[in-house]
Amino acid sequence: MILTLLACAMLAGLALIVYLSWSFSPRLTVAGAGLLSLLLAHGAWKIFRDPAKGRGHRGLAAATTAGFTLTAATAVFLLLYGAGCSCM
């Protein structure tokens, strides 16, 4: 029950962020969503591709990989516990 309430609060917070950013500037909202999509795609590409030999993680690669992992974990959490939320 607590996790469902947390998922509902997260969904409400995300909806509020989208509403406020869209009311401030629709162009910046779309541009920000595009940039976030590119960063998440880069993180996913770095996770699922074969590692290059002799190269370690660099700053941007590590940040986008962590961002993708956090976003994927949040999405799974919201799918599991947000489905029971009556606000959808």
Side-chain angles (χ1 to χ4, degrees):
M1 173 140 168
I2 293 173
L3 292 175
T4 303
L5 288 174
L6 180 63
C8 287
M10 285 179 72
L11 285 172
L14 288 172
L16 180 65
I17 288 170
V18 170
Y19 173 75
L20 290 176
S21 67
W22 188 264
S23 66
F24 176 70
S25 174
R27 288 182 182 169
L28 283 178
T29 302
V30 171
L35 181 63
L36 182 64
S37 297
L38 284 173
L39 290 174
L40 290 175
H42 183 262
W45 179 67
K46 288 291 186 180
I47 286 177
F48 294 118
R49 73 179 183 103
D50 293 332
K53 293 179 181 172
R55 299 178 95 186
H57 285 288
R58 300 226 168 131
L60 179 64
T64 57
T65 301
F68 174 75
T69 304
L70 180 66
T71 303
T74 303
V76 168
F77 171 75
L78 289 176
L79 281 173
L80 292 175
Y81 293 102
C85 185
S86 62
C87 61
M88 290 201 270

